[in-house]
Amino acid sequence: MEIEAWVWWLIGAVGLGIPLVLTAMPEFGMFSAGAVAAAVTAALGGTVVAQVLVFAVVSVALTAVVRRIASRQRGSNPGAATGIDALRGRQAIVLERVDGRGGRIKLAGEVWSARTLDADASFEPGQQVDVVEIDGATAVVM
């Protein structure tokens, strides 16, 4: 008993779907959809050349469209700060006196080493300060 071409294309689609789920790389999903389209072509009696062309065209077209949409989405939210960038401009509470040599603050629920931006300035426990930048593991405040 010989297995029909459309069944092989469906097996290929499932095979391409597995890495999609395991790696979350959307390209595998595009290739899997191309394989399903080729299976439909085979089931309708298309030649091997037609099946391969349908697979290639559908896979490339979907990849191009999805990348364009993803690129647009990524570009629409460029201001989302993460990590230490998200801490700049936040307010903190002084826990131990902060001056040009050092001190401690509570920033975003964590205790941080801190120093003042102006070496002559100082802040006492309980005062609120603004984080100007993060220098290594030290918050620079004013």
Side-chain angles (χ1 to χ4, degrees), residues 21-38:
V21 173
L22 296 177
T23 65
M25 291 179 61
E27 291 82 3
F28 285 110
M30 307 310 128
F31 293 137
S32 182
V36 169

Side-chain angles (χ1 to χ4, degrees), residues 91-106:
Q91 292 187 334
I93 301 293
V94 176
L95 298 177
E96 296 175 12
R97 179 183 164 91
V98 177
D99 56 27
R101 293 182 308 251
R104 297 246 183 246
I105 61 170
K106 187 162 193 167

Side-chain angles (χ1 to χ4, degrees), residues 9-77:
W9 281 111
L10 288 180
I11 292 170
V14 170
L16 289 165
I18 292 171
L20 168 67
V21 173
L22 296 177
T23 65
M25 291 179 61
E27 291 82 3
F28 285 110
M30 307 310 128
F31 293 137
S32 182
V36 169
V40 170
T41 303
L44 294 175
T47 65
V48 173
V49 173
Q51 295 168 34
V52 171
L53 281 174
V54 166
F55 170 75
V57 169
V58 170
S59 297
V60 170
L62 283 174
T63 301
V65 168
V66 169
R67 282 183 184 242
R68 189 170 295 128
I69 291 169
S71 160
R72 230 178 303 159
Q73 287 287 29
R74 204 177 357 213
S76 69
N77 193 10

Side-chain angles (χ1 to χ4, degrees), residues 97-103 114-123 138:
R97 179 183 164 91
V98 177
D99 56 27
R101 293 182 308 251
R115 65 176 165 77
T116 57
L117 179 63
D118 178 9
D120 297 328
S122 66
F123 299 97
T138 302

Side-chain angles (χ1 to χ4, degrees), residues 81-90 107 112 131 133-137:
T82 59
I84 61 171
D85 293 331
L87 298 176
R88 286 189 197 115
R90 302 235 357 221
L107 171 63
W112 281 74
V131 177
E133 67 178 310
I134 304 295
D135 182 17

